[in-house]
Amino acid sequence: MRTARGVADDLKDGLAGAGAHRAVRRLRRLLGVPGLAVADLSGRLQWAGRPAPATTAAPLVEEVLHAEAPRGGPALTVVPLHVDDQLAGVLAVTGRVRGAVVREAAAWVTDALRRARLEASAEQAARAELRALRAEISPHFVYNALTVIASLVSSDPDRARELMVDFADYTRYSLARHGEYTTLSDEFHAIETYLALQRAVLGDRLRVQVRVAPEVLGVAVPYLVLQPLVENAVRHGIEPRAGAPGLVQVSGEAEGGDCVIAVEDDGVGMDPAAAEAVLAGRGSAGSVGLANVDRRLRHVYGAWYGLVVETQVGAGTRVVVRVPRFQPGVMP
């Protein structure tokens, strides 16, 4: 079992990856054969132990890659490796060994390759969702913010300059290419610039409270994990209140080994069933941010983490994010 786990880890980068030769050595020792090799679709064999003569192995590998069926005899056996019904390469074994043993070894290799593909697909999906968040800046918000800044250029130039700096910070953080993770300090700075711009646009209609404990400012979190929640509170909670003032509160504090962030508004709220649909990705196009953040949190920290949404029609919305204060591999 340890060998099987080791093979899976060694093949995370595929049959041509850095760990492939280590995986081959593990399998040869486990099977007790003179020589064992794998090759990707290029046909280049990576051997451990005593290799078969190239004049014998190369034509046999080429034949298996074309026929996608086992070939060979007592001295050398070559079997195809299929991952999700697609040919990925071959496994070659020298010496006398039962066919069932070779097939079992091939199954281990294909299972490892399949897992590696799934993990790579999950990472690609997470990166795609991050790109989607970067592209989700509301044109309506940008237009309103720039219009307010332009209106202040003559009457209050100092205020216009302050807001222009906030707008530059907001767009830089939202659109620039960052690493996969950042700190809560940077996330809170980004939402403060966003809220400053929204207060300039909405005036007295928007009140803001931001409270964060100093001990959590250095906690590493996925990039752009808080800003979509605050934007959702303003756009879907406060703006639809038809002129009535609203309050958005953002807090962050430590609870044991976790960090708890809450984004709360006293806006229009929503039906809990609708909130459930949003988190499941079945909401409107404008609500993709919440589902996006929830999936990314679960991908990074596991199924026990993610967003908790407390809401009711007319009673506002509270979104809670709980993350570990330290998670291996999560570094800004």
Side-chain angles (χ1 to χ4, degrees):
M1 292 301 293
R2 284 197 302 269
T3 299
R5 287 195 297 269
V7 169
D9 291 338
D10 293 338
L11 291 177
K12 64 181 180 181
D13 294 323
L15 293 173
H21 191 256
R22 193 163 53 245
V24 169
R25 293 200 304 268
R26 293 181 194 268
L27 282 172
R28 189 189 77 84
R29 287 197 301 268
L30 184 65
L31 270 62
V33 294
L36 186 142
V38 296
D40 61 9
L41 295 178
S42 69
R44 290 190 293 271
L45 289 164
Q46 296 194 60
W47 284 98
R50 188 168 66 248
T55 53
T56 302
L60 201 58
V61 167
E62 185 175 354
E63 185 179 348
V64 171
L65 287 174
H66 281 85
E68 299 190 25
R71 294 287 187 273
L76 174 64
T77 303
V78 182
V79 297
L81 300 172
H82 289 96
V83 180
D84 298 328
D85 297 325
Q86 293 183 341
L87 183 65
V90 299
L91 172 73
V93 179
T94 62
R96 292 184 176 275
V97 60
R98 289 187 297 125
V101 174
V102 177
R103 289 193 295 273
E104 187 65 27
W108 281 357
V109 174
T110 55
D111 285 346
L113 295 174
R114 184 177 296 108
R115 191 184 84 171
R117 285 190 181 183
L118 289 173
E119 291 177 352
S121 297
E123 291 174 1
Q124 290 170 1
R127 287 194 292 269
E129 290 184 337
L130 182 55
R131 289 194 296 270
L133 284 177
R134 285 194 178 109
E136 211 185 44
I137 293 179
S138 166
H140 181 66
F141 164 69
V142 171
Y143 173 80
N144 286 343
L146 291 177
T147 299
V148 169
I149 293 170
S151 70
L152 294 171
V153 168
S154 298
S155 60
D156 193 346
D158 290 339
R159 177 62 174 153
R161 278 193 295 270
E162 290 175 2
L163 292 175
M164 184 55 73
V165 170
D166 286 338
F167 184 78
D169 279 348
Y170 169 77
T171 54
R172 175 192 61 81
Y173 191 77
S174 298
L175 298 178
R177 292 189 177 274
H178 291 257
E180 190 174 355
Y181 304 108
T182 185
T183 63
L184 274 180
S185 176
D186 286 343
E187 285 284 293
F188 270 96
H189 177 72
I191 63 178
E192 284 174 341
T193 58
Y194 170 78
L195 288 170
L197 291 165
Q198 282 288 23
R199 288 186 66 190
V201 171
L202 298 176
D204 294 337
R205 289 180 56 198
L206 176 62
R207 293 177 293 122
V208 173
Q209 289 181 1
V210 178
R211 297 178 293 104
V212 56
E215 61 265 26
V216 301
L217 289 175
V219 172
V221 293
Y223 172 67
L224 274 183
V225 77
L226 295 186
Q227 191 173 322
L229 310 184
V230 176
E231 292 186 21
N232 187 75
V234 175
R235 292 169 56 188
H236 302 292
I238 304 303
E239 286 185 355
R241 286 172 59 103
L247 172 65
V248 171
Q249 301 178 83
V250 186
S251 64
E253 59 186 0
E255 283 190 8
D258 288 346
C259 174
V260 179
I261 305 108
V263 178
E264 185 173 359
D265 68 77
D266 61 355
V268 297
M270 69 176 77
D271 184 272
E276 182 179 0
V278 167
L279 285 181
R282 301 191 302 270
S284 64
S287 62
V288 67
L290 284 182
N292 199 326
V293 170
D294 184 62
R295 282 193 299 269
R296 291 171 60 220
L297 287 171
R298 295 178 187 276
H299 174 70
V300 172
Y301 299 114
W304 292 106
Y305 292 92
L307 300 183
V308 175
V309 179
E310 303 167 1
T311 187
Q312 189 59 261
V313 175
T317 301
R318 185 171 186 261
V319 181
V320 179
V321 180
R322 180 182 294 271
V323 298
R325 294 175 67 180
F326 174 77
Q327 174 84 353
V330 180
M331 298 291 290

